[in-house]
């Protein structure tokens, strides 16, 4: 059985990770820069090569600073489901700061609370909660 973990390219992985930790609760697990990993002294030595955060109860998100022009919203959405509506609303509200709500978090005909947003970094989120 495999484990699926999102790996996000970013213009500023450290700042984006701090935003997710604040919005979803969690911790920074590790950061490795290109300089630390390769031991070379080049213009990207301080950029993040690999960063790991645990958010929303231990879910891992990996991130890196993009070395090529970054284009947000790649057609992929992160789906995060909570056991309570209160947790879902809190995460939804915090992730929406500086972003765009596509669909408000509301009770849906299929019996769950569900909403969609694009955060300030261009990442699409699908937030859900059991009714």
């Amino acid at each position: 059985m495999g484990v699926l973990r999102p790996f996000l390219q970013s213009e500023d992985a450290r700042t984006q990770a701090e935003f997710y930790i604040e919005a979803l609760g969690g911790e920074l697990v590790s950061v490795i820069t290109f300089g630390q990993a390769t031991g070379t002294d080049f213009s990207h030595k301080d950029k993040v090569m690999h960063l790991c955060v645990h958010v929303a109860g231990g879910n891992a998100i990996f991130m890196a600073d993009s070395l090529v022009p970054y284009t947000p919203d790649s057609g992929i959405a992160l789906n995060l489901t909570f056991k309570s509506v209160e947790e879902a609303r809190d995460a939804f509200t915090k992730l929406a700061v500086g972003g765009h709500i596509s669909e408000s978090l509301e009770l849906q005909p299929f019996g769950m609370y569900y909403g969609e947003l694009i955060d300030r970094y261009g990442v699409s989120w699908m937030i859900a909660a059991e009714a």
Side-chain angles (χ1 to χ4, degrees), residues 26-105:
E27 64 179 334
L28 178 66
V29 176
S30 64
V31 178
I32 300 170
T33 65
F34 281 94
Q36 290 171 315
T38 63
T40 60
D41 187 27
F42 66 106
S43 62
H44 301 300
K45 68 179 174 114
D46 294 326
K47 292 230 179 238
V48 173
M49 181 176 163
H50 189 273
L51 178 150
C52 178
V53 293
H54 285 173
V55 295
N59 296 287
I61 298 176
F62 296 151
M63 301 175 71
D65 289 331
S66 180
L67 299 181
V68 297
Y70 171 75
T71 305
D73 194 16
S74 63
I76 294 175
L78 301 180
N79 182 303
L80 187 54
T81 302
F82 292 89
K83 291 189 180 198
S84 76
V85 176
E86 293 78 23
E87 287 178 298
R89 280 201 196 288
D90 186 52
F92 189 89
T93 301
K94 290 176 180 175
L95 286 169
V97 173
H100 170 75
I101 295 174
S102 308
E103 185 177 334
S104 297
L105 182 68

